[in-house]
Amino acid sequence: VTGQLIHAASDQHVWAQTYDRDLTDIFAIQSEISQQIAKALSAALSPQEKTRLEHVTSVNPEAYDLLLRARQIDRIGNDTRQELLTQEAMLQKAVTLDPAYASAWAALSWVHSQIIFNGVDASDARMAKAREAMETARRIDGENPDVQQAIGTYYYYALRDYPKALEYFERYARQYPNNYLGYFLTGLVQRRQGRWAESLANLKRASELDPGSPEHARNLMISYAGMRRYADAVREQERRVRLMPESLRESFE
């Protein structure tokens, strides 16, 4: 594995180091190399970051692959019925393959909550599935950031408890300031609360951290349209079309 540090603005090569290991447990290798790179760069790790790096778990590789595929559908999709049900099937298979995989249980709870929120299935049985997957994830690894997200999204999407959801999302944003997700989810809840300026600031920050995601362009477009900033809304929709040139739906809208 070769670790590289490149100054993005100038494309200047700053640092590189190659690490040779036997491929026995890829997740243990990932943790070890992450710590060595942080040390080589003299990075100051927070206690939470250090704990996460040292907390190595054994994960079924096929379950991990299914989790990544489901996340990618969520990242670039439109939350259609078919997309949500496809994610559910993938994640159900992931937790069947690896019942102790907290992140997969967390993602499964997220999808169940999204299915409720988007009106695909808001039955009591679906609510129970969302809650049970979330509680299973918390029981396995309550400090896992994926699990914290799942708890927040359960309060947001399933229960519509916006203040409680914000507690989890704002805490995540503070703990992981370079991850777009905390800002993105915080911005979504604030928009539901009518806090347009605060919401827009968080959604823009999420887009800056993850500029390749069409989902951020879509939500910025929605916010700008709601604020009657139509020129900005058109600009974001055009950006989404560029990110998804194969989508007839995006070009039509």
Side-chain angles (χ1 to χ4, degrees), residues 14-54:
V14 178
W15 171 89
Q17 179 67 47
T18 299
Y19 301 87
D20 293 324
R21 296 292 186 276
D22 292 327
L23 187 58
T24 52
D25 185 338
I26 191 170
F27 296 101
I29 293 171
Q30 175 179 291
S31 176
E32 178 190 351
I33 291 178
S34 296
Q35 293 181 65
Q36 292 195 16
I37 289 175
K39 183 178 179 180
L41 297 176
S42 300
L45 297 178
S46 70
Q48 295 92 341
E49 290 167 334
K50 187 175 181 181
T51 298
R52 292 309 308 169
L53 285 174
E54 293 173 348

mmCIF file of all heavy atoms in Angstrom, residues 14-54:
data_model
loop_
_atom_site.group_PDB
_atom_site.id
_atom_site.type_symbol
_atom_site.label_atom_id
_atom_site.label_comp_id
_atom_site.label_asym_id
_atom_site.label_seq_id
_atom_site.Cartn_x
_atom_site.Cartn_y
_atom_site.Cartn_z
ATOM 1 N N VAL A 14 3.587 16.095 -1.799
ATOM 2 C CA VAL A 14 4.168 16.503 -0.517
ATOM 3 C C VAL A 14 4.899 15.355 0.179
ATOM 4 O O VAL A 14 5.990 15.529 0.710
ATOM 5 C CB VAL A 14 3.061 17.057 0.422
ATOM 6 C CG1 VAL A 14 3.650 17.450 1.778
ATOM 7 C CG2 VAL A 14 2.363 18.241 -0.228
ATOM 8 N N TRP A 15 4.296 14.156 0.137
ATOM 9 C CA TRP A 15 4.847 13.038 0.917
ATOM 10 C C TRP A 15 4.335 11.730 0.349
ATOM 11 O O TRP A 15 3.228 11.659 -0.192
ATOM 12 C CB TRP A 15 4.417 13.184 2.378
ATOM 13 C CG TRP A 15 4.714 12.003 3.259
ATOM 14 C CD1 TRP A 15 5.849 11.761 3.966
ATOM 15 C CD2 TRP A 15 3.835 10.899 3.541
ATOM 16 N NE1 TRP A 15 5.720 10.576 4.662
ATOM 17 C CE2 TRP A 15 4.511 10.030 4.416
ATOM 18 C CE3 TRP A 15 2.545 10.575 3.119
ATOM 19 C CZ2 TRP A 15 3.928 8.861 4.887
ATOM 20 C CZ3 TRP A 15 1.967 9.398 3.579
ATOM 21 C CH2 TRP A 15 2.671 8.562 4.462
ATOM 22 N N ALA A 16 5.139 10.676 0.463
ATOM 23 C CA ALA A 16 4.707 9.335 0.056
ATOM 24 C C ALA A 16 5.503 8.296 0.822
ATOM 25 O O ALA A 16 6.666 8.521 1.189
ATOM 26 C CB ALA A 16 4.892 9.134 -1.445
ATOM 27 N N GLN A 17 4.875 7.166 1.078
ATOM 28 C CA GLN A 17 5.540 6.064 1.758
ATOM 29 C C GLN A 17 4.850 4.764 1.367
ATOM 30 O O GLN A 17 3.620 4.705 1.282
ATOM 31 C CB GLN A 17 5.483 6.238 3.287
ATOM 32 C CG GLN A 17 6.135 5.128 4.077
ATOM 33 C CD GLN A 17 7.653 5.083 3.872
ATOM 34 O OE1 GLN A 17 8.311 6.115 3.942
ATOM 35 N NE2 GLN A 17 8.188 3.913 3.601
ATOM 36 N N THR A 18 5.648 3.723 1.117
ATOM 37 C CA THR A 18 5.100 2.423 0.757
ATOM 38 C C THR A 18 5.177 1.485 1.954
ATOM 39 O O THR A 18 6.187 1.441 2.663
ATOM 40 C CB THR A 18 5.875 1.813 -0.422
ATOM 41 O OG1 THR A 18 5.746 2.678 -1.552
ATOM 42 C CG2 THR A 18 5.318 0.441 -0.782
ATOM 43 N N TYR A 19 4.109 0.742 2.181
ATOM 44 C CA TYR A 19 4.022 -0.196 3.294
ATOM 45 C C TYR A 19 3.765 -1.596 2.732
ATOM 46 O O TYR A 19 2.795 -1.798 1.999
ATOM 47 C CB TYR A 19 2.888 0.199 4.245
ATOM 48 C CG TYR A 19 3.048 1.580 4.835
ATOM 49 C CD1 TYR A 19 2.570 2.699 4.158
ATOM 50 C CD2 TYR A 19 3.689 1.776 6.050
ATOM 51 C CE1 TYR A 19 2.717 3.975 4.685
ATOM 52 C CE2 TYR A 19 3.846 3.044 6.589
ATOM 53 C CZ TYR A 19 3.357 4.143 5.900
ATOM 54 O OH TYR A 19 3.517 5.399 6.431
ATOM 55 N N ASP A 20 4.632 -2.539 3.068
ATOM 56 C CA ASP A 20 4.493 -3.920 2.606
ATOM 57 C C ASP A 20 3.988 -4.796 3.746
ATOM 58 O O ASP A 20 4.594 -4.824 4.825
ATOM 59 C CB ASP A 20 5.832 -4.473 2.111
ATOM 60 C CG ASP A 20 6.303 -3.762 0.855
ATOM 61 O OD1 ASP A 20 5.438 -3.424 0.034
ATOM 62 O OD2 ASP A 20 7.512 -3.544 0.706
ATOM 63 N N ARG A 21 2.888 -5.509 3.511
ATOM 64 C CA ARG A 21 2.323 -6.390 4.534
ATOM 65 C C ARG A 21 1.796 -7.658 3.877
ATOM 66 O O ARG A 21 1.468 -7.669 2.686
ATOM 67 C CB ARG A 21 1.150 -5.693 5.264
ATOM 68 C CG ARG A 21 1.535 -4.442 6.049
ATOM 69 C CD ARG A 21 2.393 -4.773 7.255
ATOM 70 N NE ARG A 21 2.635 -3.600 8.063
ATOM 71 C CZ ARG A 21 3.601 -2.709 7.841
ATOM 72 N NH1 ARG A 21 4.395 -2.868 6.801
ATOM 73 N NH2 ARG A 21 3.761 -1.688 8.638
ATOM 74 N N ASP A 22 1.672 -8.715 4.665
ATOM 75 C CA ASP A 22 0.998 -9.925 4.202
ATOM 76 C C ASP A 22 -0.506 -9.709 4.314
ATOM 77 O O ASP A 22 -1.000 -9.242 5.350
ATOM 78 C CB ASP A 22 1.408 -11.134 5.046
ATOM 79 C CG ASP A 22 2.864 -11.513 4.820
ATOM 80 O OD1 ASP A 22 3.342 -11.327 3.681
ATOM 81 O OD2 ASP A 22 3.516 -11.980 5.775
ATOM 82 N N LEU A 23 -1.235 -10.042 3.275
ATOM 83 C CA LEU A 23 -2.680 -9.823 3.265
ATOM 84 C C LEU A 23 -3.382 -10.952 4.020
ATOM 85 O O LEU A 23 -3.810 -11.945 3.446
ATOM 86 C CB LEU A 23 -3.192 -9.745 1.827
ATOM 87 C CG LEU A 23 -4.664 -9.352 1.663
ATOM 88 C CD1 LEU A 23 -4.919 -8.004 2.320
ATOM 89 C CD2 LEU A 23 -5.027 -9.310 0.191
ATOM 90 N N THR A 24 -3.464 -10.770 5.326
ATOM 91 C CA THR A 24 -4.161 -11.736 6.175
ATOM 92 C C THR A 24 -5.497 -11.151 6.640
ATOM 93 O O THR A 24 -6.552 -11.709 6.390
ATOM 94 C CB THR A 24 -3.290 -12.129 7.374
ATOM 95 O OG1 THR A 24 -2.840 -10.925 8.043
ATOM 96 C CG2 THR A 24 -2.081 -12.929 6.916
ATOM 97 N N ASP A 25 -5.453 -10.032 7.309
ATOM 98 C CA ASP A 25 -6.669 -9.349 7.757
ATOM 99 C C ASP A 25 -6.597 -7.914 7.243
ATOM 100 O O ASP A 25 -5.870 -7.085 7.777
ATOM 101 C CB ASP A 25 -6.760 -9.373 9.280
ATOM 102 C CG ASP A 25 -8.076 -8.784 9.797
ATOM 103 O OD1 ASP A 25 -8.701 -7.997 9.058
ATOM 104 O OD2 ASP A 25 -8.475 -9.105 10.926
ATOM 105 N N ILE A 26 -7.349 -7.618 6.193
ATOM 106 C CA ILE A 26 -7.251 -6.314 5.547
ATOM 107 C C ILE A 26 -7.642 -5.177 6.477
ATOM 108 O O ILE A 26 -7.106 -4.065 6.397
ATOM 109 C CB ILE A 26 -8.100 -6.284 4.260
ATOM 110 C CG1 ILE A 26 -7.772 -5.028 3.442
ATOM 111 C CG2 ILE A 26 -9.583 -6.371 4.566
ATOM 112 C CD1 ILE A 26 -8.367 -5.030 2.066
ATOM 113 N N PHE A 27 -8.564 -5.418 7.422
ATOM 114 C CA PHE A 27 -8.995 -4.353 8.307
ATOM 115 C C PHE A 27 -7.944 -4.053 9.365
ATOM 116 O O PHE A 27 -7.749 -2.900 9.758
ATOM 117 C CB PHE A 27 -10.332 -4.723 8.949
ATOM 118 C CG PHE A 27 -11.434 -4.853 7.941
ATOM 119 C CD1 PHE A 27 -11.850 -6.102 7.502
ATOM 120 C CD2 PHE A 27 -12.029 -3.739 7.387
ATOM 121 C CE1 PHE A 27 -12.845 -6.232 6.556
ATOM 122 C CE2 PHE A 27 -13.035 -3.849 6.443
ATOM 123 C CZ PHE A 27 -13.441 -5.103 6.020
ATOM 124 N N ALA A 28 -7.233 -5.069 9.840
ATOM 125 C CA ALA A 28 -6.126 -4.846 10.771
ATOM 126 C C ALA A 28 -5.006 -4.070 10.072
ATOM 127 O O ALA A 28 -4.401 -3.168 10.657
ATOM 128 C CB ALA A 28 -5.611 -6.175 11.300
ATOM 129 N N ILE A 29 -4.744 -4.426 8.823
ATOM 130 C CA ILE A 29 -3.721 -3.709 8.050
ATOM 131 C C ILE A 29 -4.129 -2.252 7.866
ATOM 132 O O ILE A 29 -3.311 -1.333 8.011
ATOM 133 C CB ILE A 29 -3.518 -4.392 6.674
ATOM 134 C CG1 ILE A 29 -2.898 -5.781 6.868
ATOM 135 C CG2 ILE A 29 -2.623 -3.542 5.775
ATOM 136 C CD1 ILE A 29 -2.871 -6.606 5.600
ATOM 137 N N GLN A 30 -5.397 -2.020 7.568
ATOM 138 C CA GLN A 30 -5.903 -0.660 7.378
ATOM 139 C C GLN A 30 -5.682 0.177 8.634
ATOM 140 O O GLN A 30 -5.233 1.327 8.564
ATOM 141 C CB GLN A 30 -7.391 -0.717 7.045
ATOM 142 C CG GLN A 30 -8.079 0.636 6.926
ATOM 143 C CD GLN A 30 -9.544 0.469 6.580
ATOM 144 O OE1 GLN A 30 -9.896 0.056 5.491
ATOM 145 N NE2 GLN A 30 -10.416 0.770 7.520
ATOM 146 N N SER A 31 -6.004 -0.394 9.799
ATOM 147 C CA SER A 31 -5.823 0.331 11.058
ATOM 148 C C SER A 31 -4.351 0.623 11.320
ATOM 149 O O SER A 31 -3.977 1.741 11.676
ATOM 150 C CB SER A 31 -6.415 -0.492 12.209
ATOM 151 O OG SER A 31 -6.181 0.148 13.438
ATOM 152 N N GLU A 32 -3.493 -0.381 11.125
ATOM 153 C CA GLU A 32 -2.072 -0.216 11.380
ATOM 154 C C GLU A 32 -1.462 0.853 10.477
ATOM 155 O O GLU A 32 -0.731 1.738 10.940
ATOM 156 C CB GLU A 32 -1.347 -1.550 11.162
ATOM 157 C CG GLU A 32 0.171 -1.455 11.364
ATOM 158 C CD GLU A 32 0.886 -2.718 10.903
ATOM 159 O OE1 GLU A 32 0.199 -3.714 10.594
ATOM 160 O OE2 GLU A 32 2.113 -2.690 10.833
ATOM 161 N N ILE A 33 -1.772 0.780 9.202
ATOM 162 C CA ILE A 33 -1.202 1.740 8.258
ATOM 163 C C ILE A 33 -1.742 3.140 8.517
ATOM 164 O O ILE A 33 -1.010 4.132 8.411
ATOM 165 C CB ILE A 33 -1.464 1.287 6.812
ATOM 166 C CG1 ILE A 33 -0.633 0.023 6.517
ATOM 167 C CG2 ILE A 33 -1.111 2.381 5.812
ATOM 168 C CD1 ILE A 33 -0.841 -0.552 5.141
ATOM 169 N N SER A 34 -3.014 3.251 8.873
ATOM 170 C CA SER A 34 -3.586 4.563 9.194
ATOM 171 C C SER A 34 -2.827 5.218 10.342
ATOM 172 O O SER A 34 -2.506 6.416 10.294
ATOM 173 C CB SER A 34 -5.066 4.419 9.560
ATOM 174 O OG SER A 34 -5.812 3.954 8.472
ATOM 175 N N GLN A 35 -2.510 4.428 11.381
ATOM 176 C CA GLN A 35 -1.757 4.971 12.509
ATOM 177 C C GLN A 35 -0.340 5.370 12.099
ATOM 178 O O GLN A 35 0.172 6.416 12.523
ATOM 179 C CB GLN A 35 -1.709 3.937 13.632
ATOM 180 C CG GLN A 35 -3.060 3.664 14.266
ATOM 181 C CD GLN A 35 -2.967 2.657 15.391
ATOM 182 O OE1 GLN A 35 -2.339 2.924 16.407
ATOM 183 N NE2 GLN A 35 -3.585 1.502 15.225
ATOM 184 N N GLN A 36 0.301 4.562 11.263
ATOM 185 C CA GLN A 36 1.660 4.869 10.838
ATOM 186 C C GLN A 36 1.705 6.117 9.965
ATOM 187 O O GLN A 36 2.622 6.929 10.070
ATOM 188 C CB GLN A 36 2.270 3.674 10.107
ATOM 189 C CG GLN A 36 2.525 2.487 11.021
ATOM 190 C CD GLN A 36 3.433 1.461 10.385
ATOM 191 O OE1 GLN A 36 4.110 1.727 9.409
ATOM 192 N NE2 GLN A 36 3.427 0.255 10.943
ATOM 193 N N ILE A 37 0.704 6.277 9.097
ATOM 194 C CA ILE A 37 0.648 7.478 8.256
ATOM 195 C C ILE A 37 0.417 8.712 9.116
ATOM 196 O O ILE A 37 1.057 9.756 8.921
ATOM 197 C CB ILE A 37 -0.450 7.334 7.192
ATOM 198 C CG1 ILE A 37 -0.031 6.297 6.136
ATOM 199 C CG2 ILE A 37 -0.741 8.673 6.511
ATOM 200 C CD1 ILE A 37 -1.094 5.989 5.110
ATOM 201 N N ALA A 38 -0.488 8.610 10.080
ATOM 202 C CA ALA A 38 -0.743 9.740 10.975
ATOM 203 C C ALA A 38 0.532 10.129 11.731
ATOM 204 O O ALA A 38 0.854 11.315 11.877
ATOM 205 C CB ALA A 38 -1.856 9.391 11.960
ATOM 206 N N LYS A 39 1.277 9.127 12.190
ATOM 207 C CA LYS A 39 2.523 9.387 12.903
ATOM 208 C C LYS A 39 3.559 10.024 11.980
ATOM 209 O O LYS A 39 4.250 10.989 12.345
ATOM 210 C CB LYS A 39 3.079 8.092 13.482
ATOM 211 C CG LYS A 39 4.345 8.266 14.295
ATOM 212 C CD LYS A 39 4.805 6.932 14.877
ATOM 213 C CE LYS A 39 6.085 7.101 15.686
ATOM 214 N NZ LYS A 39 6.540 5.794 16.248
ATOM 215 N N ALA A 40 3.668 9.503 10.735
ATOM 216 C CA ALA A 40 4.642 10.040 9.781
ATOM 217 C C ALA A 40 4.350 11.491 9.442
ATOM 218 O O ALA A 40 5.265 12.288 9.208
ATOM 219 C CB ALA A 40 4.645 9.194 8.512
ATOM 220 N N LEU A 41 3.077 11.855 9.432
ATOM 221 C CA LEU A 41 2.691 13.224 9.107
ATOM 222 C C LEU A 41 2.592 14.105 10.349
ATOM 223 O O LEU A 41 2.224 15.273 10.252
ATOM 224 C CB LEU A 41 1.337 13.222 8.386
ATOM 225 C CG LEU A 41 1.296 12.505 7.036
ATOM 226 C CD1 LEU A 41 -0.112 12.505 6.480
ATOM 227 C CD2 LEU A 41 2.248 13.165 6.058
ATOM 228 N N SER A 42 2.928 13.533 11.516
ATOM 229 C CA SER A 42 2.842 14.242 12.801
ATOM 230 C C SER A 42 1.418 14.752 13.048
ATOM 231 O O SER A 42 1.216 15.845 13.565
ATOM 232 C CB SER A 42 3.832 15.418 12.840
ATOM 233 O OG SER A 42 5.155 14.963 12.676
ATOM 234 N N ALA A 43 0.446 13.968 12.643
ATOM 235 C CA ALA A 43 -0.948 14.360 12.833
ATOM 236 C C ALA A 43 -1.349 14.135 14.281
ATOM 237 O O ALA A 43 -0.989 13.130 14.886
ATOM 238 C CB ALA A 43 -1.859 13.559 11.904
ATOM 239 N N ALA A 44 -2.078 15.094 14.828
ATOM 240 C CA ALA A 44 -2.577 14.978 16.197
ATOM 241 C C ALA A 44 -3.940 14.293 16.157
ATOM 242 O O ALA A 44 -4.915 14.863 15.682
ATOM 243 C CB ALA A 44 -2.685 16.354 16.832
ATOM 244 N N LEU A 45 -3.994 13.069 16.643
ATOM 245 C CA LEU A 45 -5.252 12.335 16.661
ATOM 246 C C LEU A 45 -6.010 12.629 17.946
ATOM 247 O O LEU A 45 -5.433 12.673 19.029
ATOM 248 C CB LEU A 45 -4.987 10.835 16.560
ATOM 249 C CG LEU A 45 -4.315 10.330 15.282
ATOM 250 C CD1 LEU A 45 -4.088 8.827 15.393
ATOM 251 C CD2 LEU A 45 -5.142 10.656 14.065
ATOM 252 N N SER A 46 -7.305 12.832 17.816
ATOM 253 C CA SER A 46 -8.134 13.004 19.005
ATOM 254 C C SER A 46 -8.257 11.657 19.705
ATOM 255 O O SER A 46 -8.030 10.607 19.103
ATOM 256 C CB SER A 46 -9.519 13.513 18.606
ATOM 257 O OG SER A 46 -10.233 12.490 17.923
ATOM 258 N N PRO A 47 -8.616 11.659 20.995
ATOM 259 C CA PRO A 47 -8.816 10.377 21.696
ATOM 260 C C PRO A 47 -9.832 9.487 20.994
ATOM 261 O O PRO A 47 -9.657 8.271 20.928
ATOM 262 C CB PRO A 47 -9.315 10.824 23.077
ATOM 263 C CG PRO A 47 -8.744 12.199 23.262
ATOM 264 C CD PRO A 47 -8.763 12.806 21.897
ATOM 265 N N GLN A 48 -10.902 10.106 20.448
ATOM 266 C CA GLN A 48 -11.912 9.305 19.755
ATOM 267 C C GLN A 48 -11.343 8.670 18.501
ATOM 268 O O GLN A 48 -11.607 7.502 18.199
ATOM 269 C CB GLN A 48 -13.124 10.183 19.386
ATOM 270 C CG GLN A 48 -13.880 10.721 20.586
ATOM 271 C CD GLN A 48 -13.374 12.092 21.004
ATOM 272 O OE1 GLN A 48 -12.268 12.490 20.641
ATOM 273 N NE2 GLN A 48 -14.183 12.799 21.770
ATOM 274 N N GLU A 49 -10.548 9.447 17.729
ATOM 275 C CA GLU A 49 -9.947 8.916 16.509
ATOM 276 C C GLU A 49 -8.979 7.788 16.832
ATOM 277 O O GLU A 49 -8.936 6.763 16.141
ATOM 278 C CB GLU A 49 -9.241 10.032 15.744
ATOM 279 C CG GLU A 49 -10.185 11.053 15.128
ATOM 280 C CD GLU A 49 -9.467 12.300 14.645
ATOM 281 O OE1 GLU A 49 -8.391 12.622 15.181
ATOM 282 O OE2 GLU A 49 -9.985 12.949 13.726
ATOM 283 N N LYS A 50 -8.181 7.987 17.872
ATOM 284 C CA LYS A 50 -7.225 6.957 18.261
ATOM 285 C C LYS A 50 -7.945 5.680 18.669
ATOM 286 O O LYS A 50 -7.524 4.569 18.305
ATOM 287 C CB LYS A 50 -6.346 7.464 19.410
ATOM 288 C CG LYS A 50 -5.202 6.517 19.757
ATOM 289 C CD LYS A 50 -4.294 7.119 20.806
ATOM 290 C CE LYS A 50 -3.140 6.170 21.128
ATOM 291 N NZ LYS A 50 -2.244 6.711 22.170
ATOM 292 N N THR A 51 -9.029 5.825 19.411
ATOM 293 C CA THR A 51 -9.796 4.665 19.838
ATOM 294 C C THR A 51 -10.367 3.918 18.641
ATOM 295 O O THR A 51 -10.322 2.681 18.581
ATOM 296 C CB THR A 51 -10.953 5.092 20.766
ATOM 297 O OG1 THR A 51 -10.388 5.701 21.942
ATOM 298 C CG2 THR A 51 -11.794 3.900 21.181
ATOM 299 N N ARG A 52 -10.875 4.661 17.654
ATOM 300 C CA ARG A 52 -11.449 4.022 16.477
ATOM 301 C C ARG A 52 -10.400 3.276 15.675
ATOM 302 O O ARG A 52 -10.646 2.191 15.163
ATOM 303 C CB ARG A 52 -12.132 5.059 15.570
ATOM 304 C CG ARG A 52 -13.382 5.697 16.141
ATOM 305 C CD ARG A 52 -14.407 4.728 16.652
ATOM 306 N NE ARG A 52 -14.765 3.697 15.701
ATOM 307 C CZ ARG A 52 -15.482 2.624 15.979
ATOM 308 N NH1 ARG A 52 -15.911 2.415 17.214
ATOM 309 N NH2 ARG A 52 -15.762 1.742 15.057
ATOM 310 N N LEU A 53 -9.198 3.844 15.559
ATOM 311 C CA LEU A 53 -8.136 3.188 14.803
ATOM 312 C C LEU A 53 -7.679 1.913 15.487
ATOM 313 O O LEU A 53 -7.312 0.936 14.836
ATOM 314 C CB LEU A 53 -6.946 4.135 14.618
ATOM 315 C CG LEU A 53 -7.130 5.253 13.590
ATOM 316 C CD1 LEU A 53 -5.937 6.198 13.625
ATOM 317 C CD2 LEU A 53 -7.295 4.683 12.191
ATOM 318 N N GLU A 54 -7.684 1.939 16.818
ATOM 319 C CA GLU A 54 -7.226 0.777 17.564
ATOM 320 C C GLU A 54 -8.320 -0.282 17.691
ATOM 321 O O GLU A 54 -8.039 -1.423 18.049
ATOM 322 C CB GLU A 54 -6.768 1.209 18.963
ATOM 323 C CG GLU A 54 -5.497 2.079 18.935
ATOM 324 C CD GLU A 54 -5.159 2.640 20.292
ATOM 325 O OE1 GLU A 54 -6.021 2.562 21.204
ATOM 326 O OE2 GLU A 54 -4.043 3.182 20.451
#
